[in-house]
Amino acid sequence: MLNYLIRRLMSTALVMLLVGLFVFLLLRMSPGDPAAIIAGDTATPEVIAGIRSKLGLNDPLVVQFMRWGWNIVNLELGNSIFSEQPVLTLLGQRLQPTISLSALTLILSISTGVIYGVLAARRPEGLVDKSLTLFSALGFSIPVFVAGYFLVYWFAIGLKWFPVQGYTPIEQDPVRWITQLILPTITLSLSYIALIARITKSSMLEVMSDDYIRTAVAKGVPERTILFTHALKNAGVPVLTVIGLGIAYLISGVVITETVYNIPGIGRLIVDAINNRDYPIIEGVLMLCSGAYVLINLLIDLSYSLIDPRIRY
Amino acid sequence: MASSNGLSELGPQEPGLKFIGWKVALRNPKLVIGTLLLVALIALAVFAPLIAGDPLALDPFRRLQKPSSELLLGADHLGRDVFARTVFGGRVSLLVGLASAGCAIIFGLIIGILAGYSHRVDAIVMRLMDGVMSLPTILLAIAMVAISGGGIGILVIAIMIPQIPSVARLVRSVVLSTKQLPFVEAAVCAGARTPRILLRHILPSTVAPLIVQSAYVCANAILTEAGLSFLGAGVPPEIPSWGNMISASRIYLPVAPWSVFAPGIALAAMVLAVNLLGDGIRIAVDPKSRRR
């Protein structure tokens, strides 16, 4: 176990190093000069040169990368070029909406997706299974923002069940917080439910023909217990893997959903930062997102042995 | 599928591309619906100038006009013909989607084959692929587009890069399982050189799974392009694309829903067609996968 953990941590560190290098080069290779952007349109060449040397932009790339990497490790993400506030503070302010939306989406889609998949596996080619085929074909094909505007048009503008857009912090008004998040959560969950339900179904189908399931049926275990206890426990590992891999997909969806519903989260932050060429923010958000993805997948890898004790490292 | 003589077990174990007869194809509704829908959408895009009017013509007198026999899908907030824009928008989606999917498949194939065959390449390149996979597609692509100043070429590269890992991983797994099969060992014993083994003996096994995967890559590329154009980091606003049409019309959703829903439905139909085609081909080459 310890051996595995060390190996896994080292490969995680290597992935993060490569991501860092990629993000670092992406921004240094760009045609725009950050110093000129900070200085503004009216700056003289001397001012720009001053800013360049202050930011260390004249040093060799390797030196710049080492310094940059060290700062990231120490969570010193620098200041926004535009608002001059520390990037960490800006990220902190935008974290709550994004985490609320992602967490609600995960809760909704994992619970619905797993149950849907199990029920579809109960009778292959049955009504539930066929409806899942249709649902997943649509779920994978309808883009997040198209689904979003359909839901807004029907449920917010037409039926007036929900507010059209916006976000209220949870500590201000929890009821408004949840009503404003319901539509975005459903929007973002549609494709994720399809993904989880499909993998649950195919993983369940593989398990359902095993001997121990037949034994359980023969000794009269209720169907619900067989499906949700005996079979699902053994079908769980691939489902967990897909949930982990889907996190990157989820983050992409969050950015678009935040734009559709005008939610001031991390997604809006980076879209605005990209329009302003606010390099420290772009770097901060990219590193944060890939860090979250890598960390979640590490935790998922380590938790396999919890659902399936046969897996040991 | 399986031939009755025992020899076939020596061959590649991955499903091969066999001729798909008409009767078999017709029993595969996903393949049929996907193909028909895709052909219809491609025809609309290709013959756009013959079918529809000028997608750029402004007419302030028909601002936000409802769909009618004259204007099939109504007009948007600048009085432009939504039907014409939707039909022309399909061209951009198809072009960008196909170009980036094609490039992603070529690069993914090369990386996957090398990684599957050489341990040294594998260790570094696959970590790099893990790294790319850990960056959300849309964020990576907007960052690249915005930083490099945009343009269709950059857009294609930005959409392509996030798609490479899925292709590379698939090819690598096929290569890993194929290179242990007896016919590859036989080729090695017979003295075939590595490039020949890779191209003549291993490459063919990757074709069938790759065709299926390329449909999904294409669907993802179209979705990414639309997402980027929606966020304002994709196709420039003067060229109509489904993503930027929705982006421009979204604040008029309550008064002119057609200007948002027409490109939205077209986009969903295109992605659905490509996905169905992928599912259909997968079922055709590997009937066991029907259940998945």
Side-chain angles (χ1 to χ4, degrees), chain B residues 213-270:
Chain B
Q213 186 68 23
S214 59
Y216 301 137
V217 168
C218 196
N220 277 334
I222 293 172
L223 280 177
T224 313
E225 184 274 317
L228 287 176
S229 297
F230 171 72
L231 292 175
V235 179
E238 59 271 17
I239 306 173
S241 87
W242 292 333
N244 69 27
M245 285 172 71
I246 295 174
S247 173
S249 305
R250 63 201 179 110
I251 49 169
Y252 301 95
L253 180 70
V255 282
W258 50 86
S259 58
V260 174
F261 292 154
I265 291 171
L267 177 59
M270 175 75 89

Side-chain angles (χ1 to χ4, degrees), chain A residues 128-142:
Chain A
V128 183
D129 188 14
K130 289 217 168 100
S131 79
L132 174 59
T133 310
L134 184 69
F135 177 78
S136 61
L138 294 176
F140 289 140
S141 306
I142 300 178

Side-chain angles (χ1 to χ4, degrees), chain A residues 177-189:
Chain A
W177 171 79
I178 191 83
T179 44
Q180 282 186 323
L181 277 173
I182 289 176
L183 278 187
T185 304
I186 295 175
T187 305
L188 193 52
S189 298

Side-chain angles (χ1 to χ4, degrees), chain B residues 75-91:
Chain B
D76 69 2
H77 59 289
L78 296 175
R80 293 173 296 192
D81 181 352
V82 173
F83 175 71
R85 291 178 69 73
T86 306
V87 169
F88 274 92
R91 297 183 142 195

Side-chain angles (χ1 to χ4, degrees), chain B residues 38-94:
Chain B
L38 192 61
V39 167
L41 288 166
I42 291 177
L44 275 180
V46 171
F47 299 113
L50 300 176
I51 306 165
D54 185 356
L56 301 175
L58 305 171
D59 183 352
F61 291 108
R62 57 180 197 199
R63 268 190 86 226
L64 303 174
Q65 212 175 77
K66 280 195 180 114
S68 60
S69 55
E70 231 171 284
L71 276 169
L72 275 179
L73 295 172
D76 69 2
H77 59 289
L78 296 175
R80 293 173 296 192
D81 181 352
V82 173
F83 175 71
R85 291 178 69 73
T86 306
V87 169
F88 274 92
R91 297 183 142 195
V92 178
S93 269
L94 267 178

Side-chain angles (χ1 to χ4, degrees), chain A residues 277-296:
Chain A
R277 296 205 172 199
D278 203 333
Y279 292 83
I281 295 185
I282 303 175
E283 289 173 348
V285 174
L286 284 177
M287 293 308 288
L288 176 77
C289 290
S290 73
Y293 171 86
V294 169
L295 193 70
I296 290 171

Side-chain angles (χ1 to χ4, degrees), chain A residues 11 14-15 18-19 22-23 26-27 30-32 124-125 133 137-138 140-143 145-146 149-150 152-154 157 198 201-202 205-206 245 248 251-252 255-256 259-260 268 270-271 274 277 279 282 285-286 289-290 293-294, chain B residues 30 123-124 127-128 130-140 142-144 146-149 161 169 216 220 223 226-227 230-232 242-243 246 250 253-254 257 260-261 264-265 267-268 271-272 275-276 279 282 290-292:
Chain A
S11 107
L14 184 62
V15 168
L18 287 170
V19 169
F22 190 81
V23 170
L26 189 69
L27 297 172
S30 66
E125 304 288 318
T133 310
L138 294 176
F140 289 140
S141 306
I142 300 178
F145 51 99
V146 176
Y149 286 122
F150 268 107
V152 167
Y153 189 69
W154 258 267
I157 296 174
R198 271 215 347 197
K201 182 190 108 183
S202 69
L205 282 179
E206 265 171 39
L245 292 176
I251 297 173
S252 285
V255 177
I256 291 182
T259 307
V260 172
R268 288 308 306 161
I270 192 171
V271 172
I274 282 171
R277 296 205 172 199
Y279 292 83
I282 303 175
V285 174
L286 284 177
C289 290
S290 73
Y293 171 86
V294 169
Chain B
K30 285 186 166 177
I124 297 291
R127 289 295 81 71
L128 194 66
D130 286 348
V132 174
M133 278 181 104
S134 77
L135 288 166
T137 319
I138 291 270
L139 289 191
L140 187 59
I142 2 178
M144 287 178 68
I147 284 158
S148 54
I161 289 182
R169 284 181 153 212
Y216 301 137
N220 277 334
L223 280 177
F230 171 72
L231 292 175
W242 292 333
I246 295 174
R250 63 201 179 110
L253 180 70
V260 174
F261 292 154
I265 291 171
L267 177 59
V271 180
L272 181 67
N275 274 332
L276 285 178
D279 283 353
R282 193 187 65 206
R290 186 182 284 268
R291 287 284 184 73
R292 265 174 239 148

